[in-house]
Amino acid sequence: LGVHQNVASSLLLLVISFSLNACNDPQDANEENFTKAINNYLKNDPVTISVNSLGLEGDFPQFIGYETSSYKRHSDQLSKLKEAGIIQAEETVGKKELMFGSTKEMSGLKLELTPKGEKLFSLKGGGFITRSYFKVADVEVDKILNFTMPEESPIGPKSVTVKFRPKLKNVEPWASEVQSLSRYKGDRKERLILTKKGWVHHSQL
C-alpha cells in the first residue's frame, strides 16, 4: 500500500508541476510575463541625477568657483548634497579655465565625494560621451495599463508595446530636495520582443 501511495503522490506532484508550467508559459502575451521582462530591464535603468545638471563636471575631486554662473545657479543644490553627506566641500583658491585657453584664479570650493557619495556615484564613458551621475532610486512596474497585440514583422520576431505605471523604490531621502523626480513617475511605454526563452526588452537583444 505504501508503494502505491508514493507512486500516486509522485504522479500528483508531476501533474501539478506540469499544470503550473503550462499556465505560465514565458512566451505567452500576458501581464505577468510583461512585468518580469520590464522589471529585468529596469534593474539596469535606475533613477539618476546627472552631475552636469548640478553645475558640476564629470569626476571628483573638482573645483567650482564662487564667481562662476554654475555656482550661482546651483549653490542651493550643492548645499543639499553636503548636508546629505554626499559631498564634502573645502574653501580654497583655484584656477578656472576661461575662453581661448586662459585661466583665472578665484575663490571657491574643492568638492570631493564622501564614502556615502562614492557608493551612489557612477562614471560611464561611451564613444565621445562620458556620463556621471548619482543613483537615487530604483524603478519597477506598479501596474500594466495596456498592451498591443503581438505583431510579427516580415523581417523580425513578434513584438508588443506595453504601457505601464512605474513606482520608485529605495529612494534616497535627499534626492527630491536636489532635483524633481516627477519625470520618473509618469506612465511609460516599452517595446518587448518575443524570443525562444520569452519576452525581453528590445534593447537587451
Side-chain angles (χ1 to χ4, degrees), residues 176-193:
S176 58
E177 297 181 11
V178 173
Q179 198 169 101
S180 172
L181 305 181
S182 59
R183 73 181 187 277
Y184 290 98
K185 298 177 182 178
D187 296 344
R188 292 176 57 172
K189 290 182 180 180
E190 299 293 347
R191 187 164 66 93
L192 305 180
I193 302 297

Side-chain angles (χ1 to χ4, degrees), residues 3 15 17 20 38 104 116 120 134 142 146 165 168:
V3 173
V15 170
S17 176
L20 290 174
I38 296 172
K104 178 182 178 180
K116 180 179 179 181
L120 301 174
F134 294 105
D142 183 30
N146 208 339
R165 179 182 304 127
L168 306 188

